[in-house]
């Protein structure tokens, strides 16, 4: 029997439809919980530990649904819960390792994020223009997708990222392939460059 990695889903209520599709898929093991009230403590480690224990539980991959309302710069939205959910997912606690992070782009966001390719002035090769930034996602995702620490070249290779990104259609056709890939990241050297609370 193949062991599936259990997933926690971080999403905005407006993207509930996609969360339900995942929930209804019998191939996917998930925890049906969302952070819905603030954890009152001034101790940041306690807050992370508490979210880990009470919400993420024994999940090992966090799915982040990237919709129209998941951006750092969306000032009509209160992003504190999805930010905390991702922080706790990235946090390595005493009792539990970090979760892999799989960003799933829902179809209405394809045009905003996947901008095709461009010829690079630096190296002359073609790179994909993937708009993962404050206008599309919270910083907890972008900072661990385009990891800045020690990065000098004009593009990011797969081993230079922690967060993974996938289109909704690709994901739903073969969910556990992407879930497994996200989990495998937790064992790669790039974990040393994870930013839990990016500025
Ligand atoms: Zn280049």
């Amino acid at each position: 029997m193949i062991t599936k990695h259990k997933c926690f889903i971080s999403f905005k209520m407006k993207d509930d439809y996609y969360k339900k599709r995942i929930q209804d898929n019998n191939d996917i093991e998930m925890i049906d919980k969302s952070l819905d009230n603030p954890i009152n403590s001034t101790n940041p480690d306690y807050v992370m530990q508490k979210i880990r224990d009470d919400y993420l539980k024994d999940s090992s991959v966090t799915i982040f649904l990237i919709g129209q309302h998941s951006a750092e710069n969306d000032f009509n939205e209160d992003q504190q819960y999805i930010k905390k959910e991702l922080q706790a997912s990235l946090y390595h606690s005493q009792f539990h390792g970090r979760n892999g992070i799989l960003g799933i782009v829902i179809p209405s966001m394809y045009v905003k994020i996947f901008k095709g390719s461009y010829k690079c002035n630096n190296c002359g090769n073609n790179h994909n223009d993937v708009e993962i930034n404050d206008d599309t996602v919270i910083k907890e995702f972008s900072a661990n997708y385009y990891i800045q620490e020690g990065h000098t070249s004009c593009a990011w290779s797969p081993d230079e990222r922690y967060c993974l990104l996938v289109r909704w259609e690709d994901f739903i056709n073969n969910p556990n392939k992407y879930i497994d890939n996200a989990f495998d990241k937790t064992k790669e050297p790039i974990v040393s460059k994870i930013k839990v609370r990016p500025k």
Side-chain angles (χ1 to χ4, degrees), residues 123-142:
C123 69
N125 294 321
N126 286 322
H127 301 311
N128 290 325
D129 182 1
V130 180
E131 296 287 321
I132 289 297
N133 53 44
D134 288 353
D135 292 326
T136 53
V137 295
I138 49 173
K139 282 189 195 298
E140 283 70 13
F141 190 85
S142 57

Side-chain angles (χ1 to χ4, degrees), residues 8-36:
F8 175 86
I9 307 187
S10 184
F11 70 106
K12 302 293 294 188
M13 268 319 286
K14 287 155 182 160
D15 298 321
D16 196 33
Y17 166 80
Y18 294 94
K19 182 247 173 189
K20 290 214 172 81
R21 293 262 321 256
I22 294 173
Q23 198 170 6
D24 293 343
N25 188 318
N26 292 328
D27 274 349
I28 305 170
E29 291 259 355
M30 66 165 276
I31 289 170
D32 190 12
K33 269 217 156 220
S34 283
L35 186 60
D36 43 16

Side-chain angles (χ1 to χ4, degrees), residues 11 45 47 49 58 71 106 139 149-150:
F11 70 106
D45 290 317
V47 173
Q49 193 62 59
D58 59 345
I106 68 175
K139 282 189 195 298
E149 187 191 329

Side-chain angles (χ1 to χ4, degrees), residues 132-171:
I132 289 297
N133 53 44
D134 288 353
D135 292 326
T136 53
V137 295
I138 49 173
K139 282 189 195 298
E140 283 70 13
F141 190 85
S142 57
N144 295 295
Y145 184 77
Y146 289 128
I147 292 178
Q148 298 297 332
E149 187 191 329
H151 192 265
T152 49
S153 69
C154 47
W156 274 258
S157 64
D159 62 344
E160 292 175 311
R161 303 183 195 286
Y162 185 71
C163 295
L164 296 186
L165 193 68
V166 61
R167 284 172 170 83
W168 169 259
E169 270 103 4
D170 293 336
F171 170 75

